[in-house]
Amino acid sequence: MYVFGDSLVDVGNNNYLETFFRANFPFNGIDFPSGKPTGRFSNGKNAADFIAENSGLPTPPPYLSNKNDLFLNGVSFASGGAGILNSTNNLPSNGTIYLSKQVEYFSEVQQRLIAKIGESEAKNHLSNSLFAVVIGSNDLFNYFSSKSKIPIRKSPQEYIDLMLSTFSNQLTQIHGLGARKFLIAGIGPIGCTPSQRLLNSSENCNEEANYWTMNYNKGVQSMLIKLKSQLKEDFNYTYFNIYDFLVSTIQNPTKYGIHEVKAACCGAGRLKAASPCTPIATYCPNRSDHIFWDEVHPTEAATKLLVNTLFNNTKQYVTSMNLTNLLAL
């Protein structure tokens, strides 16, 4: 399994960066098997862990833990704060491995594989591997943050169109390097995160952010159909509609064993979202009751629900090819 993405699937790459986007401190990891923070932006395991477990694969290690490794069992390039656009969170103090850089790193791994096991064997290895891509939330968070200056330069539609054309090129590059099986996750309802609810006194979801997230997700699905028609049987994918599943969970939480859908579990201030989850924050004892661990990230329990839905091939949320069939190709 090769993982590209952001903090939803980062398993520790940002531990090796000088960056504000880090999670290698308490109370992150409090429910991880070791009980210690690992760099995952979660109280426990994240989506990369659960996807790997359900696929019968090891969780891929972070690329920056050993840049010269062959990574024959897969690797994660995912980085907290990363976006589709190079400009997303790309500041000296907020270093992140944006998606184009992640693709560059994969190119280096692919070259080492070819040098070590030969072109034919490397091609076979990569075509049978799973490529999980979970990204885009940070680009939209940046657009809809209260301090954003991007709306002055670009309308929401122009910004989304730029995200989609950039993402299409990046997926084409990954495919060109040998990937054949893709798991693409749509973006969840970012307007319902505690950080976005804080922006209004009613603590309702930010409907504008949600509207444009839905718009982006529709664009991704159209873009994937177009890529499939261009690349034919060489390009197979599962698209996971996280948005609709999380909206359903927020609207009917008890059906899923969830009780708190607005507030974060770990943080401080209103909705526990006025400041992030740090060693001086407080955290809830009933973490499996919450959708959100901190101001933007899901709890281990919510993540497990999501990944189980993906593997159960729930038709309304999983399109194109179901993941079990994709893995069996």
Side-chain angles (χ1 to χ4, degrees):
M1 185 163 131
Y2 292 82
V3 181
F4 299 79
D6 54 29
S7 53
L8 295 173
V9 283
D10 185 353
V11 290
N13 273 312
N14 279 23
N15 296 352
Y16 301 90
L17 297 177
E18 287 299 319
T19 179
F20 166 79
F21 299 106
R22 293 179 91 147
N24 58 343
F25 50 79
F27 294 101
N28 296 299
I30 192 168
D31 298 311
F32 198 72
S34 65
K36 295 192 171 99
T38 61
R40 287 164 175 79
F41 294 75
S42 170
N43 57 304
K45 293 177 180 178
N46 70 17
D49 298 302
F50 288 125
I51 293 166
E53 274 177 27
N54 280 277
S55 306
L57 296 166
T59 295
Y63 173 75
L64 294 182
S65 64
N66 187 0
K67 287 163 85 168
N68 299 313
D69 197 276
L70 264 186
F71 297 115
L72 277 167
N73 291 319
V75 62
S76 172
F77 306 101
S79 169
I84 289 166
L85 305 176
N86 295 3
S87 55
T88 295
N89 295 330
N90 189 20
L91 300 164
S93 59
N94 287 2
T96 184
I97 314 167
Y98 46 80
L99 187 53
S100 295
K101 190 72 180 169
Q102 294 181 31
V103 177
E104 268 180 51
Y105 285 156
F106 171 52
S107 174
E108 290 169 20
V109 169
Q110 184 243 27
Q111 288 301 307
R112 283 204 295 279
L113 264 179
I114 291 170
K116 185 72 176 175
I117 62 176
E119 193 157 352
S120 165
E121 196 53 43
K123 187 178 175 185
N124 188 44
H125 174 83
L126 293 172
S127 67
N128 284 300
S129 298
L130 177 65
F131 286 76
V133 189
V134 181
I135 199 147
S137 303
N138 289 312
D139 302 280
L140 290 175
F141 273 127
N142 274 19
Y143 191 92
F144 290 104
S145 85
S146 54
K147 296 173 190 157
S148 179
K149 294 196 168 54
I150 311 167
I152 300 164
R153 301 192 304 274
K154 281 188 167 55
S155 71
Q157 191 61 60
E158 286 170 333
Y159 188 72
I160 280 166
D161 289 344
L162 177 62
M163 284 175 67
L164 290 168
S165 60
T166 307
F167 193 31
S168 178
N169 290 338
Q170 290 157 334
L171 290 176
T172 305
Q173 282 178 284
I174 297 169
H175 171 269
L177 292 164
R180 296 294 177 264
K181 303 181 188 185
F182 290 83
L183 166 60
I184 312 287
I187 299 176
I190 67 164
C192 295
T193 55
S195 69
Q196 287 284 311
R197 286 182 186 269
L198 265 191
L199 300 179
N200 60 65
S201 55
S202 64
E203 296 177 354
N204 290 331
C205 299
N206 177 348
E207 293 306 338
E208 190 193 8
N210 280 353
Y211 172 81
W212 288 108
T213 302
M214 280 194 291
N215 208 299
Y216 167 79
N217 285 335
K218 281 181 192 151
V220 169
Q221 291 173 79
S222 302
M223 178 263 282
L224 290 169
I225 291 166
K226 193 172 166 190
L227 274 183
K228 174 72 180 162
S229 72
Q230 289 167 350
L231 303 170
K232 309 286 189 289
E233 66 279 354
D234 260 3
F235 180 82
N236 295 290
Y237 70 91
T238 297
Y239 173 80
F240 185 27
N241 179 352
I242 289 176
Y243 187 99
D244 285 356
F245 177 72
L246 280 179
V247 166
S248 167
T249 310
I250 288 164
Q251 289 170 348
N252 312 285
T254 51
K255 178 182 169 185
Y256 301 97
I258 301 277
H259 299 289
E260 177 54 69
V261 299
K262 286 187 176 183
C265 167
C266 182
R270 194 158 60 98
L271 295 179
K272 287 262 190 90
S275 62
C277 179
T278 64
I280 57 165
T282 56
Y283 63 90
C284 62
N286 50 336
R287 294 175 285 283
S288 59
D289 283 359
H290 286 60
I291 285 190
F292 293 101
W293 164 239
D294 62 13
E295 75 273 34
V296 292
H297 300 103
T299 55
E300 179 185 78
T303 303
K304 192 171 187 179
L305 264 179
L306 271 168
V307 176
N308 285 348
T309 302
L310 168 64
F311 277 87
N312 290 342
N313 185 30
T314 312
K315 287 275 188 290
Q316 76 220 73
Y317 306 125
V318 181
T319 56
S320 184
M321 185 179 287
N322 79 56
L323 192 52
T324 310
N325 290 353
L326 182 77
L327 290 165
L329 277 178

